[in-house]
Amino acid sequence: MPGGRLTQQERQQIATGLADGLAYAEIARRLDRPTSTITREVMRNGGPAGYRADLAHRATERRAHRRKRATPRGSKTLTEDYGRDAEAVRAYEETLTTVFIASGTPKMMARVMACLTLSDSGSLTAAELAERLEVSPASISKAITFLESQDLVRRFRDEGRRERYGFDEDIWYRSMVASARSTAQVAETSRQGVAVMGRGTPAAVRLENAARFLDFVAETMLRASEQAREVLFANPATAPGDKADAVPDDRAGPRPDQG
């Protein structure tokens, strides 16, 4: 599989593939590139509807020029302890950020999430985040406030009484539960509109069907989150390789801390 930056010709092929309605995986296969490379390239350059090969190529050249002039001060932290490839880590962090953005997370918040996810300590101070991402403390504060409201970040104090922000193993479980509850609230509100719009009318039928669908989705999310919660506490080094096997059977009983 070829490495290195995408060429201008490859970018033209990506633009052609998008125009033809091809999936990222198919474009990647034709270029013999990882799907993540195509996803990152498209999402950071206007998305599938706004991607233009010439603009994307010039933007990449500008970014490369800026990186040559100044390497982020926090980049060593991610590589020096485990001998990681700095360029590979940087590229992966961009990919992860892009995926978070594509899922609906605002850009600055997505950058903070990716930074925290890749931190071996699992937590960072506001100053450390600002240094690694080379942004203002105010930007970090705004991002943290948003992420806390979504149950994606927790705040705590270390032994030196410094305030830190980070993930714990349960963060994705709590996030899924919060999402399920939000979905259930939309379902309930939709159901309330049935009587208002007049049962049996087109609008009421639309609302009732939406409520039934969202109820099912919310209940499924909650049940699946409970069943799979143990995965968050597994040791990947000893966990089964098969994804299906990694999800606990719902007959296995509650986690130890659930009594």
Side-chain angles (χ1 to χ4, degrees), residues 7-23:
T7 65
Q8 191 160 13
Q9 182 180 9
E10 286 177 315
R11 290 191 167 92
Q12 290 290 354
Q13 290 178 267
I14 291 173
T16 300
L18 292 172
D20 291 342
L22 299 181

Side-chain angles (χ1 to χ4, degrees), residues 36-37 39-40 90-100:
S36 60
T37 297
T39 302
R40 181 173 66 250
R90 182 199 60 76
Y92 177 71
E93 186 169 5
E94 289 184 1
T95 298
L96 188 60
T97 299
T98 298
V99 170
F100 285 151

Side-chain angles (χ1 to χ4, degrees), residues 43-65:
M43 295 308 299
R44 76 188 304 187
N45 291 292
Y51 183 82
R52 286 183 54 186
D54 53 344
L55 295 180
H57 196 69
R58 287 201 293 271
T60 299
E61 289 180 334
R62 287 196 298 271
R63 284 193 293 267
H65 181 65

Side-chain angles (χ1 to χ4, degrees), residues 93 96-97 100-101 105-119 122-126 128-130 132-148 152-154 165-167 172:
E93 186 169 5
L96 188 60
T97 299
F100 285 151
I101 293 172
T105 305
K107 183 176 180 179
M108 189 65 238
M109 292 64 170
R111 293 187 67 197
V112 170
M113 283 182 62
C115 190
L116 289 173
T117 300
L118 299 185
S119 169
S123 67
L124 296 167
T125 65
E128 289 169 336
L129 282 166
R132 290 193 185 196
L133 298 177
E134 296 189 309
V135 297
S136 68
S139 296
I140 297 298
S141 177
K142 181 178 179 181
I144 289 295
T145 298
F146 172 85
L147 293 171
E148 281 186 308
L152 289 172
V153 165
R154 66 186 179 96
Y165 310 96
F167 296 137
W172 293 113

